[in-house]
Structures are given as C-alpha cells and as structure tokens.
C-alpha cells in the first residue's frame, strides 16, 4: 500500500493542480461573461470584439511608425468613430481617440476610473510603483519623486555632474564615425540618476552592477510576460529582486553607520531622513526614478535627434544658434546653469514637438469603477478604458500637418500645451518631466555644438507600443570644432 500510495501521490498533486487552474480560469471567464453580457447597454459606442479570448489585442499592438497612429486605429476610427468598443488584453474595453474624453478620463483618475495595468506588469514593477499605485499611496510616492526633481535642480553639484558626464560622453565619441545612439544615451541617463540617487559613479563596482541589472530589468519590462525559466520577463523579475537587494543593503549600511540626520549627499539619504516610507516603498521610488531616466528620457533624446535629422535645415540651424549664443556668453569650459536653461526657449519647443510627434507613451490602461456617462455613451462598470494619446497628437483637426516636425507651432499657438498629453495629466501627470527636460536640454547643448550627424535611410521609431528604433538609432557622426 505504501508503494501504491507513493506512486500515485504525484498524479494526485497534478490532478489537483489542474483542477485548481481550471477553477481559476472558469471563475475568470465567468466574471468576464457577467461583465460583458449581464446588462445589455444600448449606449455603448460601436465597435468590434474580435476573436474569442484574444479579441483584437494582436492587431492593436501591431508595430507601426510612432509618428503615426497605425492601421488598426486608422481603420477603427474611420469605421466606428473616435470612440469605439473592443476586446483588448483579455477584457472588454473602450478605446478613446477623442480629446475631450481623454481629458475627462485623466481628470477623474481615482474617482471614476482606476489604474488597471495587466497583472504581468505588477511582477516587474512591484505593487508600490507609481505606475500601479493608487490613492494615498500614489500621492505619497509621487510627492517623493516631485521632491527629487526640486532637489536636483536646486543643487549646483547636479548641474556640474550633468555637465561633466555630457563632456565625457562627447569626448568618448571623437574617435568614432558610427554609434548606437539610443544605447549610449540610455547609459548616460542612467548614470546621471545613479549618481544623484546613490552618490556613486557608474564606473564604480556597485554602479556597474546596478547598470547591468537594470539593463536586464528593462529588457523584460518590454517583453512578452512569459514567466518561464530563461525568458526576458522571468530574468527581469529576478533582476528586480537583485536590484531591490542592492538598494536595501545600501540602506542597512547607512543605518548601521548612522548616516541619516542632516545628510543630503544623495537622494537615498534624503528619503531615509525625511520621508516615512517602508523599505519596499523606497525601493519602488528608486526604481521608478531609474526607469524614467533610462527609458523615457533616453527614448525622447533619440526621437529628438531623429526628427532633427529628418527636418528642414532651418530647425537645426535655429537650435544651434540658440546654444551658440549661450556658449559665447560663458568662459571656456564653464558649466551651464539654470539661467542658461531659461534662455533655451526653442530647445524646449523642440523637446515638446518630439513628444508630440514621437509618442513615447501611446496609451494608458484604466478601468471604470462605476457606470460612467460621457455625452451619449455609457462606459460600463468593470470595462477597461484606453485613452490613446498618439491619436490626439496626430489629429489633423487639432494640429495642422500633424506629421510635420515643427517646433515653431509651440510659439505660434499659445494653446498647444492644452492640445497634447505626452506624459498623462490630472493627478497622475508624470512628476519627472521637468527634470527630464533639463537633462535633455543640457545634453543637446553639447551635442549640437560638437557634432554633425545623419541617420540611416531605413531607420525609424516604431511603436510596439513602447517606442523602439529599428537599429537602436545608428548615427554616422563627425566632430565639429571643439566647443565645451
């Protein structure tokens, strides 16, 4: 009997596991069925629910040029209008390419709508990430990130660090004729953040380890969420665990040495001294800041360089003219300051226009907390809602010649800031955008004065929906007269 019992126990475990899995799947399908069929809604917008289970997800996520809305949205908007129903990411959904509805959704975050990203993202980001957190937790953590932006801008050492890292990067390229631009600026942006967060250089042992783990983390962040051994997603989850361990070890060491009160050498020290956060919340804040620097800031840098190389010569000429005027007013090698930044009006217009044309963030994930009425439509409780930013940024009824990269439109149209939402809006507006603008403006100052460049003919930014260049934005570069 012992032998029989022992030989059957694995089979019993397998059967129980399968039964449990079937029960979970059945429960999910039943919940989905109830949401979609229990209360017929005559006020739903028109649309198509696609195939069973997968719906229209694959078509919705089909890669396309990031300065276009793609064939899926083109087809659906022309057939159903700017607001339509669909079935995406396993759930019935409302897709909005309507500016008024998008603003309404953003302004009613945590009221009528809640953040609702796919569960797989929770495994990589953690439950305390700003992207996922809601309510009081989100407000608290967002305030920390806002304070990081203010803290950096108020420190002369940050500007000096930004200056020296930019010069070092320019010098490292002088012997090269070709480079992978996006890879280089991602490491640059991450190095800036590592310095400010932890007070360490990227070339130090622990700094190199953080950079290496974060690269693994980011590869999984933009991969298929398959938690199988060896997949990018699985590696990313483990990389986050290792990054969490590194940050917690730093915190333990600082507590052991008593380096807390009155010490503001780096922002980790500031958080530990001035904010009542759990260790997990501190880790999430740190990783969110690194994520913003590594992915969002660097991707925007790539888009700017791409659009400048594909625009009429007067755009780059105007940008160089602005930076030459600033440089001629400074001593040789003198660091830029915030007064210089305030003079970079056209530079900021270039950054804004790249946000509009390039669409670093294509759409958001939200869920209706109750039946929501907007004009003639009703969004049922429990349905997912996806406001699509790129559709607004490239709408010809809002922006004349929307595919045309034209920084002057930000000067000519005083309402431009109300017509775009590149980094969200309402209570969840990206808190790091001002710091990103400063970092990009300083980098552009050095790059446009020190190099001329061109891209390959077949290079372009693609929306996956995250933005990625075909070949990591290969640039052919040529140094100009040395200007520091």
């Amino acid at each position: 009997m012992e032998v029989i019992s022992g030989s059957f126990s694995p089979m019993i475990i397998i059967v129980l596991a399968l039964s449990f899995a079937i029960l979970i799947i059945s429960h999910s399908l039943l919940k989905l069925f109830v949401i979609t069929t229990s209360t017929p809604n005559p006020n739903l917008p028109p649309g198509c629910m696609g195939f069973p289970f997968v719906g229209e997800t694959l078509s919705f996520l089909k890669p396309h040029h990031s300065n276009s809305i793609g064939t899926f949205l083109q087809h659906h908007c022309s057939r159903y209008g700017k607001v339509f129903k669909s079935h995406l990411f396993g759930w019935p959904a409302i897709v909005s390419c309507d500016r008024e509805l998008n603003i309404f959704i953003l302004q009613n975050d945590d009221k009528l709508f809640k953040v609702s990203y796919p569960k797989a993202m929770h495994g990589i980001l953690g439950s305390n990430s700003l992207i996922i957190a809601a309510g009081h937790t989100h407000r608290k953590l967002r305030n920390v990130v806002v304070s990081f932006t203010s803290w950096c801008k108020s420190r002369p050492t940050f500007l000096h660090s930004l200056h020296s890292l930019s010069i070092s990067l320019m010098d490292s390229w002088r012997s090269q004729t070709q480079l992978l631009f996006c890879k280089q600026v991602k490491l640059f942006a991450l190095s800036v953040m590592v310095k400010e967060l932890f007070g360490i250089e990227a070339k130090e042992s622990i700094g190199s380890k953080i950079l290496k783990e974060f690269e693994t983390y980011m590869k999984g962040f933009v991969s298929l969420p398959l938690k199988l051994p060896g997949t990018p997603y699985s590696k990313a989850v483990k990389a986050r665990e290792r990054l969490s361990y590194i940050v917690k070890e730093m915190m333990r060491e600082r507590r052991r040495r008593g380096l807390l009160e009155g010490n503001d050498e780096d922002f980790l020290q500031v958080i530990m001294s001035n904010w009542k956060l759990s260790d997990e919340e501190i880790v999430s804040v740190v990783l969110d800041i690194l994520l913003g620097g590594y992915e969002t800031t660097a991707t925007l840098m790539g888009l700017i360089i791409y659009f400048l190389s594909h625009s009429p010569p007067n755009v780059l000429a105007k940008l160089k003219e602005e930076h030459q005027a600033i440089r001629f007013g400074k001593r040789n090698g003198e660091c830029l300051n915030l007064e210089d930044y305030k003079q970079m009006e056209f530079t900021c217009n270039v950054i804004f226009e790249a946000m509009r044309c390039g669409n670093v963030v294509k759409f958001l994930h939200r869920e209706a907390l109750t039946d929501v009425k907007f004009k003639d439509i009703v969004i049922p409780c429990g349905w997912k809602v996806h406001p699509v930013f790129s559709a607004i940024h490239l709408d010809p009824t809002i922006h004349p010649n929307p595919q045309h990269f034209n920084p002057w439109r930000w000067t000519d149209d005083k309402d431009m800031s109300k017509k775009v939402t590149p980094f969200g809006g309402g209570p969840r507006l990206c808190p790091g955008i001002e710091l990103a603008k400063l970092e990009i403006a300083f980098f552009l100052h050095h790059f446009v004065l020190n190099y001329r460049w061109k891209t390959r003919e077949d290079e372009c930014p693609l929306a996956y929906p995250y933005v990625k260049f075909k070949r990591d934005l290969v640039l052919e570069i040529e140094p100009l007269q040395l200007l520091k």
Side-chain angles (χ1 to χ4, degrees), residues 317-336:
K318 176 65 176 176
L319 185 64
K320 289 182 70 172
E321 179 186 317
E322 183 171 84
H323 287 283
Q324 284 170 340
I326 293 171
R327 179 47 55 190
F328 289 153
K330 305 187 78 66
R331 297 187 304 274
N332 185 37
E334 185 180 355
C335 179
L336 295 171

Side-chain angles (χ1 to χ4, degrees), residues 1 8 45 54 89 91 102 146 150 212 236 246 253 280 286 312 337 363 397 404 441 454 456 460 482:
M1 288 296 293
F8 272 86
V54 297
F89 308 103
W91 291 90
N102 286 4
V146 170
S150 302
K212 181 181 177 182
I246 291 172
E253 176 63 15
E280 289 299 331
V286 166
N337 55 44
F363 66 95
T397 66
H404 179 52
K454 62 180 180 179
R456 291 185 174 180
C460 66
L482 190 63

Side-chain angles (χ1 to χ4, degrees), residues 202-480:
K203 60 186 177 183
E204 293 181 38
S205 176
I206 186 67
S208 297
K209 189 172 182 180
I210 290 172
L211 294 180
K212 181 181 177 182
E213 295 292 0
F214 204 82
E215 283 192 81
T216 303
Y217 174 72
M218 280 309 307
K219 286 178 183 177
F221 185 80
V222 293
S223 69
L224 288 174
L226 301 175
K227 197 170 183 181
L228 299 173
T231 61
Y233 177 83
S234 180
K235 289 179 180 179
V237 172
K238 292 185 180 298
R240 189 194 187 282
E241 292 172 357
R242 291 190 292 269
L243 284 166
S244 176
Y245 178 80
I246 291 172
V247 176
K248 288 178 179 177
E249 277 296 297
M250 289 183 181
M251 293 162 60
R252 279 192 284 268
E253 176 63 15
R254 294 176 189 217
R255 287 176 179 134
R256 185 184 67 79
R257 295 166 55 191
L259 298 178
L260 290 180
E261 296 299 330
N263 191 322
D264 66 347
E265 291 182 2
D266 56 59
F267 196 67
L268 179 60
Q269 208 64 50
V270 173
I271 298 175
M272 295 174 66
S273 300
N274 302 321
W275 295 86
K276 294 181 179 180
L277 302 179
S278 68
D279 286 1
E280 289 299 331
E281 288 174 331
I282 294 176
V283 168
S284 288
V285 166
V286 166
L287 293 185
D288 281 344
I289 291 172
L290 291 176
L291 173 63
Y294 182 86
E295 190 63 25
T296 309
T297 303
T299 298
L300 185 51
M301 285 182 178
L303 288 168
I304 292 168
I305 297 305
Y306 172 82
F307 287 125
L308 286 174
S309 64
H310 288 77
S311 297
N314 64 326
V315 179
L316 180 57
K318 176 65 176 176
L319 185 64
K320 289 182 70 172
E321 179 186 317
E322 183 171 84
H323 287 283
Q324 284 170 340
I326 293 171
R327 179 47 55 190
F328 289 153
K330 305 187 78 66
R331 297 187 304 274
N332 185 37
E334 185 180 355
C335 179
L336 295 171
N337 55 44
L338 291 180
E339 290 304 313
D340 298 320
Y341 176 62
K342 292 176 183 177
Q343 297 178 46
M344 299 181 187
E345 293 182 8
F346 189 74
T347 303
C348 289
N349 288 348
V350 168
I351 294 172
F352 287 135
E353 184 68 351
M355 290 184 199
R356 185 192 68 80
C357 288
N359 297 292
V360 176
V361 180
K362 179 181 176 180
F363 66 95
L364 298 179
H365 295 260
R366 295 292 185 266
E367 180 182 322
L369 292 170
T370 184
D371 287 351
V372 179
K373 181 173 174 52
F374 180 81
K375 295 185 177 179
D376 295 331
I377 69 169
V378 173
I379 303 172
C381 177
W383 276 48
K384 306 300 179 180
V385 185
H386 300 292
V388 181
F389 295 157
S390 58
I392 313 306
H393 298 163
L394 301 170
D395 187 337
T397 66
I398 300 174
H399 310 285
N401 301 313
Q403 263 79 30
H404 179 52
F405 185 80
N406 176 18
W408 283 277
R409 73 172 81 232
W410 292 83
T411 303
D412 298 339
D413 186 349
K414 301 302 181 183
D415 292 326
M416 271 298 295
S417 60
K418 300 176 183 178
K419 298 178 180 180
V420 296
T421 48
F423 285 102
R428 302 188 76 89
L429 177 68
C430 175
I433 182 58
E434 287 303 317
L435 190 61
K437 282 169 50 188
L438 175 65
E439 187 177 336
I440 292 170
F442 277 38
F443 171 84
L444 285 175
H445 173 83
H446 295 287
F447 188 61
V448 301
L449 294 182
N450 283 276
Y451 287 93
R452 63 171 60 94
W453 71 93
K454 62 180 180 179
T455 63
R456 291 185 174 180
E457 290 184 4
D458 62 344
E459 184 68 278
C460 66
L462 296 174
Y464 281 85
Y466 60 92
V467 175
K468 181 179 176 64
F469 284 88
K470 272 187 176 181
R471 291 172 175 77
D472 225 6
L473 191 55
V474 176
L475 294 186
E476 294 178 13
I477 61 171
E478 180 184 351
L480 300 172

